[in-house]
Amino acid sequence: MTSIEILPLIALVAMFVIATFFPINIGILGFIGAFVVGYFALGFDDKEILNEFPSSIVLTIVGVTYFFGTAKRNGTIDLLVNSCIRAVHGRVTVVPWVFFFVASVLTALGTFSPAAVALIVPAAMAFAARTGMSPLVMGIMVINGAHAGAFSPISVSGVLVRDIVENNGLALSPWTLFFASYGINLLLSVLTVVGYAALARMKGFEYTATGSTDPAPGSGPVGGSPVKTSVPTGGGTGGGSSAGGSTAVLTRPKTTTLVDAPAPVTFVQKLTLFLIGALLVLVLVLHLPISFIAIGAGAVLAFTDLKKQNEAIADISWSTVLLVAGMVTYISILQEVGTIDHLAEMAITIGAPIIVAIVLCYVIGITSAFASSTALLAAVIPLAMPLLGTGALPVVGVVAALAISATVVDVSPFSTNGALVLANAQNIERPRFYRQLLLNAGVVVAVAPALCWLILVVVPALF
Protein backbone atom coordinates (compact mmCIF):
# COMPACT_ATOMS: atom_id res chain seq x y z
CA MET A 1 0.00 0.00 0.00
CA THR A 2 1.17 3.51 -0.81
CA SER A 3 1.31 6.39 1.66
CA ILE A 4 -1.74 7.97 0.05
CA GLU A 5 -3.67 4.81 0.96
CA ILE A 6 -2.19 4.31 4.43
CA LEU A 7 -2.60 7.85 5.79
CA PRO A 8 -6.42 7.97 5.37
CA LEU A 9 -6.60 4.60 7.12
CA ILE A 10 -4.56 5.92 10.05
CA ALA A 11 -6.89 8.92 10.13
CA LEU A 12 -9.89 6.55 10.33
CA VAL A 13 -8.38 4.77 13.33
CA ALA A 14 -7.64 8.15 14.93
CA MET A 15 -11.29 9.17 14.44
CA PHE A 16 -12.53 6.16 16.40
CA VAL A 17 -9.98 6.78 19.16
CA ILE A 18 -10.91 10.47 19.45
CA ALA A 19 -14.65 9.76 19.41
CA THR A 20 -14.18 7.08 22.09
CA PHE A 21 -12.36 9.29 24.58
CA PHE A 22 -13.89 12.68 23.78
CA PRO A 23 -17.55 13.72 23.37
CA ILE A 24 -17.15 14.48 19.68
CA ASN A 25 -19.48 13.02 17.06
CA ILE A 26 -17.38 10.86 14.74
CA GLY A 27 -19.47 12.09 11.80
CA ILE A 28 -17.93 15.55 12.16
CA LEU A 29 -14.47 14.00 11.95
CA GLY A 30 -15.63 11.98 8.95
CA PHE A 31 -16.66 15.09 7.03
CA ILE A 32 -13.37 16.80 7.87
CA GLY A 33 -11.43 13.73 6.76
CA ALA A 34 -13.46 13.46 3.55
CA PHE A 35 -12.64 17.06 2.69
CA VAL A 36 -8.92 16.79 3.50
CA VAL A 37 -8.39 13.54 1.59
CA GLY A 38 -10.79 14.36 -1.23
CA TYR A 39 -9.60 17.91 -1.87
CA PHE A 40 -5.87 17.67 -1.23
CA ALA A 41 -5.16 14.06 -2.25
CA LEU A 42 -7.66 13.48 -5.03
CA GLY A 43 -8.32 17.03 -6.23
CA PHE A 44 -12.09 16.68 -5.79
CA ASP A 45 -14.36 19.69 -5.48
CA ASP A 46 -17.17 19.79 -2.92
CA LYS A 47 -19.72 18.20 -5.26
CA GLU A 48 -17.42 15.29 -6.03
CA ILE A 49 -16.62 14.80 -2.33
CA LEU A 50 -20.35 14.62 -1.54
CA ASN A 51 -21.12 12.43 -4.54
CA GLU A 52 -21.80 9.42 -2.27
CA PHE A 53 -23.57 11.39 0.47
CA PRO A 54 -26.22 8.94 1.82
CA SER A 55 -29.26 11.14 1.24
CA SER A 56 -31.78 8.28 1.34
CA ILE A 57 -30.45 7.00 4.68
CA VAL A 58 -30.40 10.51 6.16
CA LEU A 59 -34.00 11.07 5.12
CA THR A 60 -34.98 7.71 6.61
CA ILE A 61 -33.38 8.63 9.94
CA VAL A 62 -35.13 12.00 9.98
CA GLY A 63 -38.54 10.57 9.12
CA VAL A 64 -38.49 7.59 11.46
CA THR A 65 -37.19 9.42 14.52
CA TYR A 66 -39.55 12.34 13.91
CA PHE A 67 -42.60 10.08 13.73
CA PHE A 68 -41.74 7.76 16.63
CA GLY A 69 -40.52 10.62 18.79
CA THR A 70 -43.98 12.13 18.46
CA ALA A 71 -45.56 8.73 19.19
CA LYS A 72 -43.55 8.59 22.41
CA ARG A 73 -44.59 12.08 23.45
CA ASN A 74 -48.31 11.41 22.98
CA GLY A 75 -48.11 8.21 25.08
CA THR A 76 -48.68 5.66 22.30
CA ILE A 77 -45.42 3.80 22.95
CA ASP A 78 -46.21 3.47 26.66
CA LEU A 79 -49.69 2.32 25.71
CA LEU A 80 -48.24 -0.47 23.57
CA VAL A 81 -45.81 -1.60 26.30
CA ASN A 82 -48.49 -1.71 29.00
CA SER A 83 -50.91 -3.51 26.68
CA CYS A 84 -48.34 -6.24 26.04
CA ILE A 85 -47.79 -6.73 29.80
CA ARG A 86 -51.55 -6.97 30.40
CA ALA A 87 -51.84 -9.50 27.56
CA VAL A 88 -49.80 -11.98 29.63
CA HIS A 89 -51.73 -11.02 32.80
CA GLY A 90 -48.54 -9.76 34.48
CA ARG A 91 -47.01 -13.25 34.73
CA VAL A 92 -43.58 -12.52 36.14
CA THR A 93 -41.59 -15.08 34.14
CA VAL A 94 -43.20 -14.01 30.86
CA VAL A 95 -42.94 -10.24 31.23
CA PRO A 96 -39.14 -10.05 30.54
CA TRP A 97 -39.84 -11.70 27.18
CA VAL A 98 -42.56 -9.10 26.59
CA PHE A 99 -39.95 -6.38 26.99
CA PHE A 100 -37.70 -8.30 24.56
CA PHE A 101 -40.53 -8.55 22.04
CA VAL A 102 -41.67 -4.92 22.36
CA ALA A 103 -38.09 -3.63 21.95
CA SER A 104 -37.68 -5.79 18.84
CA VAL A 105 -40.95 -4.49 17.37
CA LEU A 106 -39.92 -0.88 17.95
CA THR A 107 -36.57 -1.31 16.18
CA ALA A 108 -38.14 -3.41 13.43
CA LEU A 109 -40.51 -0.50 12.77
CA GLY A 110 -37.56 1.83 12.38
CA THR A 111 -36.80 3.11 15.88
CA PHE A 112 -33.06 3.30 16.57
CA SER A 113 -31.74 0.72 19.00
CA PRO A 114 -30.67 3.31 21.62
CA ALA A 115 -34.01 5.07 21.27
CA ALA A 116 -35.93 1.82 21.75
CA VAL A 117 -33.82 0.91 24.78
CA ALA A 118 -34.37 4.40 26.21
CA LEU A 119 -38.13 3.96 25.82
CA ILE A 120 -38.33 0.47 27.33
CA VAL A 121 -35.55 0.21 29.91
CA PRO A 122 -37.01 2.48 32.64
CA ALA A 123 -40.13 0.31 32.94
CA ALA A 124 -38.11 -2.89 32.52
CA MET A 125 -35.59 -2.09 35.27
CA ALA A 126 -38.37 -0.96 37.62
CA PHE A 127 -40.12 -4.27 37.02
CA ALA A 128 -36.89 -6.16 37.75
CA ALA A 129 -36.44 -4.28 41.02
CA ARG A 130 -40.01 -5.00 42.12
CA THR A 131 -39.81 -8.73 41.39
CA GLY A 132 -36.25 -9.52 42.46
CA MET A 133 -35.10 -10.23 38.91
CA SER A 134 -31.44 -9.67 38.08
CA PRO A 135 -31.06 -6.17 36.61
CA LEU A 136 -28.24 -7.58 34.49
CA VAL A 137 -30.48 -10.20 32.88
CA MET A 138 -33.29 -7.69 32.35
CA GLY A 139 -30.92 -5.16 30.78
CA ILE A 140 -29.54 -7.80 28.44
CA MET A 141 -33.07 -8.88 27.47
CA VAL A 142 -34.05 -5.33 26.50
CA ILE A 143 -30.83 -4.67 24.56
CA ASN A 144 -30.96 -8.02 22.75
CA GLY A 145 -34.59 -7.38 21.88
CA ALA A 146 -33.70 -4.01 20.40
CA HIS A 147 -30.93 -5.63 18.36
CA ALA A 148 -33.18 -8.49 17.26
CA GLY A 149 -35.36 -6.17 15.20
CA ALA A 150 -32.62 -3.73 14.24
CA PHE A 151 -32.04 -5.18 10.76
CA SER A 152 -35.60 -5.32 9.47
CA PRO A 153 -36.19 -4.29 5.84
CA ILE A 154 -37.47 -0.87 6.95
CA SER A 155 -35.02 -0.13 9.77
CA VAL A 156 -32.16 2.31 9.30
CA SER A 157 -29.47 -0.30 10.01
CA GLY A 158 -31.16 -2.75 7.65
CA VAL A 159 -31.31 -0.14 4.88
CA LEU A 160 -27.69 0.88 5.53
CA VAL A 161 -26.32 -2.67 5.29
CA ARG A 162 -28.42 -3.49 2.24
CA ASP A 163 -27.31 -0.32 0.43
CA ILE A 164 -23.63 -1.08 1.10
CA VAL A 165 -23.97 -4.62 -0.27
CA GLU A 166 -26.07 -3.68 -3.31
CA ASN A 167 -23.82 -0.74 -4.19
CA ASN A 168 -21.01 -3.29 -4.51
CA GLY A 169 -23.00 -5.31 -7.05
CA LEU A 170 -24.12 -8.11 -4.71
CA ALA A 171 -27.63 -9.21 -3.74
CA LEU A 172 -28.85 -9.47 -0.16
CA SER A 173 -32.20 -10.81 1.02
CA PRO A 174 -33.47 -8.27 3.59
CA TRP A 175 -35.76 -10.77 5.30
CA THR A 176 -32.99 -13.35 5.68
CA LEU A 177 -30.81 -10.68 7.33
CA PHE A 178 -33.68 -9.77 9.66
CA PHE A 179 -34.48 -13.34 10.72
CA ALA A 180 -30.79 -14.16 11.18
CA SER A 181 -30.41 -11.20 13.53
CA TYR A 182 -33.62 -12.06 15.38
CA GLY A 183 -32.65 -15.69 15.79
CA ILE A 184 -29.14 -15.00 17.10
CA ASN A 185 -30.33 -12.41 19.61
CA LEU A 186 -33.14 -14.68 20.76
CA LEU A 187 -30.64 -17.52 21.23
CA LEU A 188 -28.29 -15.26 23.21
CA SER A 189 -31.17 -14.19 25.45
CA VAL A 190 -32.13 -17.80 26.15
CA LEU A 191 -28.51 -18.66 26.93
CA THR A 192 -28.31 -15.64 29.25
CA VAL A 193 -31.39 -16.65 31.23
CA VAL A 194 -30.37 -20.31 31.46
CA GLY A 195 -26.76 -19.50 32.33
CA TYR A 196 -27.68 -16.98 35.03
CA ALA A 197 -30.28 -19.33 36.51
CA ALA A 198 -27.68 -22.09 36.77
CA LEU A 199 -25.13 -19.76 38.41
CA ALA A 200 -27.78 -18.37 40.78
CA ARG A 201 -28.56 -21.88 42.02
CA MET A 202 -24.93 -22.87 42.45
CA LYS A 203 -23.72 -19.67 44.10
CA GLY A 204 -26.87 -18.43 45.81
CA PHE A 205 -27.15 -15.11 44.02
CA GLU A 206 -29.27 -12.34 45.48
CA TYR A 207 -31.34 -12.03 42.32
CA THR A 208 -33.12 -14.62 40.17
CA ALA A 209 -32.99 -14.99 36.40
CA THR A 210 -36.69 -14.44 35.79
CA GLY A 211 -38.00 -12.71 38.92
CA SER A 212 -40.44 -13.88 41.55
CA THR A 213 -43.84 -12.97 42.93
CA ASP A 214 -42.21 -12.68 46.36
CA PRO A 215 -41.53 -9.06 47.28
CA ALA A 216 -38.04 -7.86 46.52
CA PRO A 217 -36.22 -6.23 49.46
CA GLY A 218 -37.43 -2.68 49.91
CA SER A 219 -39.95 -2.90 47.09
CA GLY A 220 -43.04 -4.01 48.93
CA PRO A 221 -45.14 -7.10 48.26
CA VAL A 222 -45.75 -8.15 44.73
CA GLY A 223 -48.36 -10.52 43.46
CA GLY A 224 -50.02 -11.32 46.78
CA SER A 225 -47.72 -13.94 48.34
CA PRO A 226 -49.09 -15.62 51.47
CA VAL A 227 -47.72 -14.29 54.78
CA LYS A 228 -48.13 -15.97 58.20
CA THR A 229 -49.69 -13.91 61.02
CA SER A 230 -50.98 -14.80 64.47
CA VAL A 231 -54.36 -14.07 66.07
CA PRO A 232 -55.55 -14.89 69.59
CA THR A 233 -57.75 -17.97 70.08
CA GLY A 234 -59.73 -16.66 73.00
CA GLY A 235 -59.58 -16.72 76.79
CA GLY A 236 -58.04 -13.30 77.14
CA THR A 237 -59.16 -10.86 79.80
CA GLY A 238 -59.55 -7.28 78.87
CA GLY A 239 -56.25 -5.52 78.55
CA GLY A 240 -54.31 -8.53 79.88
CA SER A 241 -52.32 -11.28 78.31
CA SER A 242 -53.88 -14.11 76.45
CA ALA A 243 -54.87 -17.09 78.47
CA GLY A 244 -54.81 -19.32 75.45
CA GLY A 245 -52.38 -19.79 72.55
CA SER A 246 -52.48 -18.35 69.13
CA THR A 247 -53.28 -19.86 65.74
CA ALA A 248 -51.22 -19.24 62.62
CA VAL A 249 -53.37 -17.92 59.79
CA LEU A 250 -52.37 -17.52 56.16
CA THR A 251 -53.29 -14.13 54.85
CA ARG A 252 -52.41 -12.29 51.67
CA PRO A 253 -50.74 -8.90 51.79
CA LYS A 254 -51.88 -6.01 49.72
CA THR A 255 -50.98 -6.64 46.10
CA THR A 256 -48.54 -4.38 44.32
CA THR A 257 -49.61 -4.11 40.69
CA LEU A 258 -47.01 -4.75 37.99
CA VAL A 259 -48.59 -2.31 35.58
CA ASP A 260 -50.91 0.64 36.00
CA ALA A 261 -54.62 0.26 35.37
CA PRO A 262 -55.52 0.89 31.74
CA ALA A 263 -56.22 4.51 30.95
CA PRO A 264 -58.68 5.56 28.26
CA VAL A 265 -57.12 5.61 24.81
CA THR A 266 -57.16 9.15 23.46
CA PHE A 267 -58.07 10.18 19.93
CA VAL A 268 -54.44 11.10 19.21
CA GLN A 269 -53.24 7.67 20.35
CA LYS A 270 -55.83 5.96 18.14
CA LEU A 271 -54.68 8.11 15.23
CA THR A 272 -51.04 7.21 15.94
CA LEU A 273 -51.83 3.48 16.02
CA PHE A 274 -53.66 3.85 12.71
CA LEU A 275 -50.69 5.66 11.19
CA ILE A 276 -48.27 2.95 12.40
CA GLY A 277 -50.46 0.32 10.74
CA ALA A 278 -50.71 2.38 7.55
CA LEU A 279 -46.93 2.86 7.50
CA LEU A 280 -46.38 -0.91 7.71
CA VAL A 281 -48.79 -1.58 4.85
CA LEU A 282 -47.44 1.16 2.59
CA VAL A 283 -43.79 0.20 3.15
CA LEU A 284 -43.91 -3.59 3.41
CA VAL A 285 -46.75 -4.32 0.99
CA LEU A 286 -46.64 -1.45 -1.50
CA HIS A 287 -42.84 -0.94 -1.15
CA LEU A 288 -43.06 2.82 -0.79
CA PRO A 289 -40.02 4.58 0.76
CA ILE A 290 -40.30 4.66 4.54
CA SER A 291 -38.51 8.02 4.68
CA PHE A 292 -41.29 9.98 2.98
CA ILE A 293 -44.10 7.92 4.53
CA ALA A 294 -42.74 8.45 8.07
CA ILE A 295 -42.31 12.19 7.49
CA GLY A 296 -45.88 12.37 6.19
CA ALA A 297 -47.22 10.44 9.19
CA GLY A 298 -45.28 12.72 11.53
CA ALA A 299 -46.72 15.77 9.78
CA VAL A 300 -50.26 14.44 10.32
CA LEU A 301 -49.54 14.05 14.04
CA ALA A 302 -48.02 17.53 14.11
CA PHE A 303 -51.45 19.07 13.57
CA THR A 304 -52.72 17.40 16.76
CA ASP A 305 -50.35 19.51 18.90
CA LEU A 306 -48.80 22.38 16.99
CA LYS A 307 -47.41 23.99 20.15
CA LYS A 308 -44.90 21.15 20.61
CA GLN A 309 -43.45 21.11 17.11
CA ASN A 310 -40.09 22.46 18.30
CA GLU A 311 -39.86 19.53 20.72
CA ALA A 312 -40.84 17.10 17.95
CA ILE A 313 -38.08 18.43 15.69
CA ALA A 314 -35.63 18.14 18.60
CA ASP A 315 -36.61 14.45 18.93
CA ILE A 316 -35.08 13.75 15.51
CA SER A 317 -31.82 11.88 16.02
CA TRP A 318 -29.59 14.56 14.52
CA SER A 319 -26.49 13.03 16.12
CA THR A 320 -27.12 9.78 14.25
CA VAL A 321 -27.75 11.70 11.02
CA LEU A 322 -24.37 13.37 11.42
CA LEU A 323 -22.63 10.11 12.37
CA VAL A 324 -23.94 8.06 9.45
CA ALA A 325 -23.59 10.82 6.85
CA GLY A 326 -20.02 11.68 7.88
CA MET A 327 -18.79 8.09 8.08
CA VAL A 328 -20.40 6.91 4.84
CA THR A 329 -18.99 9.95 3.02
CA TYR A 330 -15.49 9.33 4.39
CA ILE A 331 -15.57 5.61 3.57
CA SER A 332 -16.61 6.46 0.00
CA ILE A 333 -13.49 8.64 -0.27
CA LEU A 334 -11.37 5.75 1.04
CA GLN A 335 -12.84 3.60 -1.71
CA GLU A 336 -11.87 6.23 -4.29
CA VAL A 337 -8.31 6.28 -2.93
CA GLY A 338 -8.13 2.49 -3.11
CA THR A 339 -7.61 1.85 0.61
CA ILE A 340 -10.64 -0.42 0.98
CA ASP A 341 -9.68 -2.58 -1.99
CA HIS A 342 -6.12 -3.03 -0.74
CA LEU A 343 -7.27 -3.89 2.78
CA ALA A 344 -9.66 -6.46 1.36
CA GLU A 345 -6.87 -7.96 -0.75
CA MET A 346 -4.64 -8.17 2.34
CA ALA A 347 -7.44 -9.84 4.29
CA ILE A 348 -7.83 -12.45 1.60
CA THR A 349 -4.12 -13.28 1.81
CA ILE A 350 -4.61 -14.31 5.48
CA GLY A 351 -5.71 -17.69 4.21
CA ALA A 352 -8.99 -19.48 3.64
CA PRO A 353 -11.98 -17.13 3.17
CA ILE A 354 -13.75 -18.77 6.09
CA ILE A 355 -10.85 -17.77 8.38
CA VAL A 356 -10.96 -14.20 7.05
CA ALA A 357 -14.65 -14.07 7.93
CA ILE A 358 -14.10 -14.90 11.61
CA VAL A 359 -11.19 -12.43 11.81
CA LEU A 360 -13.47 -9.66 10.53
CA CYS A 361 -16.22 -10.72 12.97
CA TYR A 362 -13.86 -10.37 15.92
CA VAL A 363 -12.38 -7.09 14.64
CA ILE A 364 -15.81 -5.49 14.35
CA GLY A 365 -17.06 -7.10 17.58
CA ILE A 366 -14.15 -6.01 19.78
CA THR A 367 -14.05 -2.50 18.34
CA SER A 368 -17.81 -2.05 18.60
CA ALA A 369 -17.69 -2.60 22.36
CA PHE A 370 -16.05 0.83 22.60
CA ALA A 371 -17.09 2.65 19.42
CA SER A 372 -20.24 3.32 17.40
CA SER A 373 -21.73 0.16 15.89
CA THR A 374 -23.36 2.11 13.06
CA ALA A 375 -20.07 3.76 12.10
CA LEU A 376 -18.30 0.40 12.17
CA LEU A 377 -20.91 -1.17 9.91
CA ALA A 378 -20.15 1.51 7.35
CA ALA A 379 -16.40 0.99 7.77
CA VAL A 380 -15.96 -2.80 8.03
CA ILE A 381 -18.64 -4.34 5.80
CA PRO A 382 -17.04 -2.87 2.64
CA LEU A 383 -13.88 -4.81 3.54
CA ALA A 384 -15.76 -8.07 3.06
CA MET A 385 -17.15 -7.20 -0.37
CA PRO A 386 -14.19 -8.46 -2.49
CA LEU A 387 -14.15 -11.62 -0.38
CA LEU A 388 -17.84 -12.18 -1.03
CA GLY A 389 -17.33 -11.44 -4.71
CA THR A 390 -15.35 -14.69 -5.02
CA GLY A 391 -18.49 -16.69 -4.26
CA ALA A 392 -16.65 -18.84 -1.72
CA LEU A 393 -18.93 -17.81 1.16
CA PRO A 394 -22.66 -17.06 1.49
CA VAL A 395 -23.22 -13.32 1.10
CA VAL A 396 -26.10 -12.99 3.55
CA GLY A 397 -24.36 -15.22 6.10
CA VAL A 398 -21.15 -13.20 6.20
CA VAL A 399 -22.94 -9.84 6.15
CA ALA A 400 -25.35 -10.96 8.86
CA ALA A 401 -22.48 -12.29 10.99
CA LEU A 402 -20.62 -8.98 10.70
CA ALA A 403 -23.72 -6.89 11.36
CA ILE A 404 -24.74 -8.92 14.41
CA SER A 405 -21.17 -9.04 15.77
CA ALA A 406 -21.10 -5.24 15.59
CA THR A 407 -24.34 -4.73 17.52
CA VAL A 408 -24.63 -7.64 19.93
CA VAL A 409 -21.73 -6.36 22.06
CA ASP A 410 -23.62 -3.17 22.89
CA VAL A 411 -24.28 -4.54 26.37
CA SER A 412 -20.96 -2.90 27.25
CA PRO A 413 -21.30 -0.01 29.74
CA PHE A 414 -19.22 2.04 27.28
CA SER A 415 -21.99 1.84 24.67
CA THR A 416 -25.15 3.95 24.67
CA ASN A 417 -27.40 0.97 25.35
CA GLY A 418 -25.27 -0.33 28.20
CA ALA A 419 -25.04 3.14 29.72
CA LEU A 420 -28.85 3.46 29.60
CA VAL A 421 -29.24 0.16 31.45
CA LEU A 422 -26.66 1.22 34.03
CA ALA A 423 -28.37 4.59 34.55
CA ASN A 424 -31.80 3.02 35.12
CA ALA A 425 -30.75 0.17 37.46
CA GLN A 426 -32.53 0.09 40.83
CA ASN A 427 -31.80 -1.56 44.19
CA ILE A 428 -28.19 -2.28 43.29
CA GLU A 429 -24.94 -0.38 43.78
CA ARG A 430 -23.86 1.29 40.54
CA PRO A 431 -20.13 0.36 40.81
CA ARG A 432 -21.07 -3.26 41.39
CA PHE A 433 -23.54 -3.27 38.48
CA TYR A 434 -20.96 -1.55 36.28
CA ARG A 435 -18.53 -4.42 36.92
CA GLN A 436 -21.24 -6.95 36.11
CA LEU A 437 -21.98 -5.24 32.78
CA LEU A 438 -18.27 -5.08 31.99
CA LEU A 439 -17.73 -8.77 32.76
CA ASN A 440 -20.76 -9.74 30.71
CA ALA A 441 -19.54 -7.60 27.80
CA GLY A 442 -16.21 -9.43 27.91
CA VAL A 443 -18.00 -12.79 27.70
CA VAL A 444 -20.18 -11.58 24.81
CA VAL A 445 -17.18 -10.21 22.89
CA ALA A 446 -15.42 -13.55 23.31
CA VAL A 447 -18.38 -15.77 22.40
CA ALA A 448 -20.82 -13.90 20.13
CA PRO A 449 -18.62 -13.35 17.03
CA ALA A 450 -17.62 -17.04 17.01
CA LEU A 451 -21.27 -18.06 17.45
CA CYS A 452 -22.38 -15.80 14.57
CA TRP A 453 -19.57 -17.12 12.38
CA LEU A 454 -20.36 -20.75 13.18
CA ILE A 455 -24.13 -20.54 12.64
CA LEU A 456 -24.29 -18.04 9.77
CA VAL A 457 -21.08 -18.71 7.82
CA VAL A 458 -19.69 -22.18 8.54
CA VAL A 459 -22.94 -24.14 8.57
CA PRO A 460 -24.33 -22.62 5.30
CA ALA A 461 -20.89 -23.03 3.64
CA LEU A 462 -20.90 -26.75 4.49
CA PHE A 463 -24.40 -27.35 3.21
Side-chain angles (χ1 to χ4, degrees), residues 82-362:
N82 288 335
S83 298
C84 289
I85 294 176
R86 290 191 199 94
V88 297
H89 306 290
R91 285 191 285 267
V92 171
T93 56
V94 179
V95 171
W97 294 101
V98 172
F99 285 120
F100 175 97
F101 173 73
V102 173
S104 71
V105 170
L106 289 178
T107 52
L109 290 174
T111 307
F112 279 104
S113 171
V117 172
L119 294 174
I120 299 297
V121 81
M125 299 306 278
F127 176 87
R130 292 163 69 179
T131 58
M133 179 181 177
S134 165
L136 177 65
V137 175
M138 179 59 88
I140 293 172
M141 294 282 285
V142 174
I143 293 174
N144 285 353
H147 291 154
F151 292 98
S152 78
I154 62 173
S155 69
V156 174
S157 295
V159 172
L160 172 65
V161 171
R162 191 167 70 250
D163 282 354
I164 292 173
V165 174
E166 291 178 352
N167 287 341
N168 282 271
L170 299 175
L172 177 69
S173 168
W175 285 109
T176 304
L177 175 64
F178 169 67
F179 286 120
S181 173
Y182 209 103
I184 291 291
N185 281 282
L186 182 61
L187 174 61
L188 289 172
S189 296
V190 172
L191 293 176
T192 298
V193 172
V194 173
Y196 189 92
L199 287 173
R201 278 199 199 91
M202 289 189 296
K203 298 190 175 183
F205 286 172
E206 176 184 356
Y207 299 102
T208 65
T210 55
S212 169
T213 54
D214 295 328
S219 65
V222 177
S225 305
V227 174
K228 183 180 289 187
T229 62
S230 296
V231 297
T233 57
T237 58
S241 61
S242 173
S246 63
T247 302
V249 178
L250 287 177
T251 62
R252 288 188 177 272
K254 183 179 179 180
T255 300
T256 299
T257 57
L258 299 179
V259 65
D260 296 333
V265 181
T266 66
F267 168 76
V268 175
Q269 290 170 339
K270 292 178 181 178
L271 176 61
T272 305
L273 292 172
F274 170 78
L275 290 173
I276 291 175
L279 182 146
L280 292 175
V281 172
L282 293 174
V283 173
L284 296 179
V285 179
L286 300 181
H287 305 291
L288 297 178
I290 186 174
S291 52
F292 291 104
I293 301 301
I295 290 174
V300 172
L301 289 181
F303 284 97
T304 64
D305 194 352
L306 292 174
K307 294 180 180 178
K308 293 185 178 179
Q309 269 310 285
N310 288 335
E311 296 175 7
I313 297 300
D315 283 335
I316 295 174
S317 185
W318 296 112
S319 62
T320 306
V321 168
L322 190 56
L323 184 152
V324 171
M327 284 307 299
V328 171
T329 302
Y330 185 71
I331 294 300
S332 70
I333 294 296
L334 290 189
Q335 290 176 322
E336 291 290 337
V337 171
T339 303
I340 300 297
D341 291 337
H342 277 88
L343 284 176
E345 291 171 4
M346 291 172 62
I348 293 175
T349 61
I350 291 176
I354 205 164
I355 302 299
V356 178
I358 193 172
V359 170
L360 291 177
C361 283
Y362 270 103

Side-chain angles (χ1 to χ4, degrees), residues 4-5 8 33-45 48-49 329-339:
I4 196 65
E5 295 168 344
F35 170 73
V36 171
V37 176
Y39 187 82
F40 293 103
L42 299 177
F44 285 178
D45 59 22
E48 291 172 313
I49 292 172
T329 302
Y330 185 71
I331 294 300
S332 70
I333 294 296
L334 290 189
Q335 290 176 322
E336 291 290 337
V337 171
T339 303

Side-chain angles (χ1 to χ4, degrees), residues 17-67:
V17 172
I18 293 171
T20 299
F21 292 100
F22 299 97
I24 298 177
N25 191 304
I26 195 173
I28 293 176
L29 303 178
F31 278 123
I32 295 172
F35 170 73
V36 171
V37 176
Y39 187 82
F40 293 103
L42 299 177
F44 285 178
D45 59 22
D46 56 341
K47 292 183 180 179
E48 291 172 313
I49 292 172
L50 296 174
N51 190 48
E52 296 299 325
F53 182 86
S55 54
S56 62
I57 298 176
V58 166
L59 201 58
T60 298
I61 296 171
V62 170
V64 167
T65 54
Y66 175 54
F67 175 56

Side-chain angles (χ1 to χ4, degrees), residues 393-410:
L393 296 175
V395 174
V396 69
V398 173
V399 172
L402 291 173
I404 298 167
S405 295
T407 56
V408 78
V409 297
D410 280 353

